């Protein structure tokens, strides 16, 4: 069964460093998303992406964040200068269509630890 | 800010009992509702979704939706210790050109053997 994959599973970085989190969405899906979950808190929407453009971003997704689909398979989230409060699980998701009734499929997540 | 509210728990039930998980939402225009299960350190896993008022059954799981009361619930029958997890209620909200999930904080369920 096709699935969303994410690498690495755990990333440790120093405050102020840049990190890139990678995702491979399900191959025929067209819409891509990043969510984040700080330990013990709710899953929060960061950004949605379609046709090589950001469709929507939350207030969390500030200038330190960027997303890119550098080739036909990868979807990346870059944090330019990490802060302690960026420590969280980051989940990538994808969906075939963008309708209200279409499921988004989640990847296993990347745990980001900022020291 | 459109919100989804859940009791954080933990909700403890004995093995074999019915677990009842509840969720309320503030956006009266919401049409689609999802229940996810999340084990510690893992990603959310879809259990079921519901769009219409009333009950929807899938195996041991029943989702119930009441749009007038802005209330959605999940019943788990014949609870197993392996059902112990955090259950996330999610509501789809319109974003620009797509939809995003708004999640509740989740209810932690403990099924006692």
């Amino acid at each position: 069964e096709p699935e969303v994959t994410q690498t690495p599973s755990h990333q440790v970085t120093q405050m102020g460093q840049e990190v890139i989190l990678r995702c491979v969405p399900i191959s025929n899906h067209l819409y891509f998303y990043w969510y984040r979950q700080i330990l013990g808190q709710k899953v929060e929407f960061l950004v949605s992406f379609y046709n090589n453009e950001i469709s929507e971003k939350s207030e969390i997704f500030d200038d330190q964040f960027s997303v890119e689909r550098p080739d036909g398979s990868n979807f990346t989230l870059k944090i330019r200068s990490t802060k302690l409060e960026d420590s969280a699980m980051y989940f990538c998701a994808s969906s075939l269509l963008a309708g209200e009734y279409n499921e988004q499929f989640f990847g296993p997540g990347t745990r980001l630890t900022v020291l | 800010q459109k919100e989804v509210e859940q009791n954080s728990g933990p909700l403890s039930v004995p093995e074999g009992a019915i677990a009842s998980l509840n969720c309320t939402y503030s956006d009266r225009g919401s049409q689609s509702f999802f229940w996810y299960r999340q084990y510690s350190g893992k990603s959310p896993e879809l259990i079921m979704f519901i769009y219409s008022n009333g009950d929807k059954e899938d195996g041991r799981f029943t989702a119930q939706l009441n749009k007038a009361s802005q209330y959605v619930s999940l019943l788990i029958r014949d609870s197993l210790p392996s059902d112990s997890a955090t259950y996330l209620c999610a509501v789809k909200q319109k974003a620009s050109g797509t939809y995003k999930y708004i999640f509740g904080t989740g209810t932690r369920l403990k099924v006692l053997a």
Side-chain angles (χ1 to χ4, degrees):
Chain A
E1 185 174 326
E3 57 184 18
V4 177
T5 59
Q6 290 185 244
T7 54
S9 57
H10 191 187
Q11 173 88 50
V12 181
T13 190
Q14 295 291 325
M15 190 169 55
Q17 294 298 304
E18 173 184 288
V19 295
I20 298 176
L21 310 182
R22 291 183 166 79
C23 168
V24 179
I26 294 173
S27 62
N28 63 336
H29 283 189
L30 301 175
Y31 296 84
F32 314 113
Y33 313 84
W34 284 100
Y35 292 82
R36 126 184 137 176
Q37 186 177 32
I38 294 171
L39 186 64
Q41 298 187 23
K42 68 173 89 171
V43 177
E44 300 173 288
F45 169 80
L46 290 178
V47 65
S48 60
F49 191 86
Y50 168 71
N51 199 26
N52 281 319
E53 288 185 346
I54 291 175
S55 304
E56 170 96 0
K57 57 184 180 179
S58 72
E59 59 275 6
I60 302 168
F61 194 90
D62 62 20
D63 292 345
Q64 293 300 311
F65 291 87
S66 62
V67 289
E68 192 178 34
R69 189 153 161 82
D71 53 43
S73 59
N74 289 283
F75 178 51
T76 62
L77 174 69
K78 182 194 290 186
I79 308 175
R80 265 181 267 284
S81 178
T82 50
K83 302 189 278 285
L84 295 175
E85 54 265 38
D86 294 326
S87 296
M89 281 288 282
Y90 288 81
F91 296 109
C92 173
S94 70
S95 64
L96 176 60
L97 300 172
E100 185 159 19
Y101 306 112
N102 296 115
E103 180 188 350
Q104 295 175 16
F105 294 81
F106 283 82
T110 293
R111 179 174 298 283
L112 176 64
T113 302
V114 182
L115 302 175
Chain B
Q1 174 68 17
K2 308 261 184 343
E3 297 288 345
V4 177
E5 301 286 342
Q6 294 181 259
N7 187 323
S8 60
L11 171 68
S12 296
V13 300
E15 184 175 2
I18 294 175
S20 177
L21 306 160
N22 304 315
C23 172
T24 58
Y25 59 94
S26 62
D27 183 3
R28 189 168 284 279
S30 298
Q31 297 294 322
S32 54
F33 308 89
F34 299 75
W35 281 101
Y36 282 84
R37 176 173 63 197
Q38 186 177 33
Y39 294 108
S40 182
K42 302 295 185 184
S43 63
E45 170 194 6
L46 182 68
I47 298 174
M48 62 191 304
F49 52 84
I50 186 166
Y51 309 141
S52 304
N53 276 328
D55 294 0
K56 179 183 177 184
E57 190 174 315
D58 184 0
R60 295 188 297 113
F61 299 96
T62 299
Q64 299 174 315
L65 175 60
N66 183 326
K67 290 183 183 178
S69 300
Q70 294 174 241
Y71 177 91
V72 58
S73 65
L74 180 71
L75 301 178
I76 306 174
R77 286 184 301 282
D78 300 322
S79 296
L80 302 167
S82 56
D83 293 327
S84 298
T86 298
Y87 289 79
L88 309 178
C89 174
V91 175
K92 274 277 189 82
Q93 185 179 94
K94 187 90 167 69
S96 302
T98 182
Y99 285 84
K100 60 188 177 186
Y101 285 125
I102 304 297
F103 283 91
T105 52
T107 298
R108 192 153 59 95
L109 173 67
K110 289 184 175 180
V111 180
L112 308 171

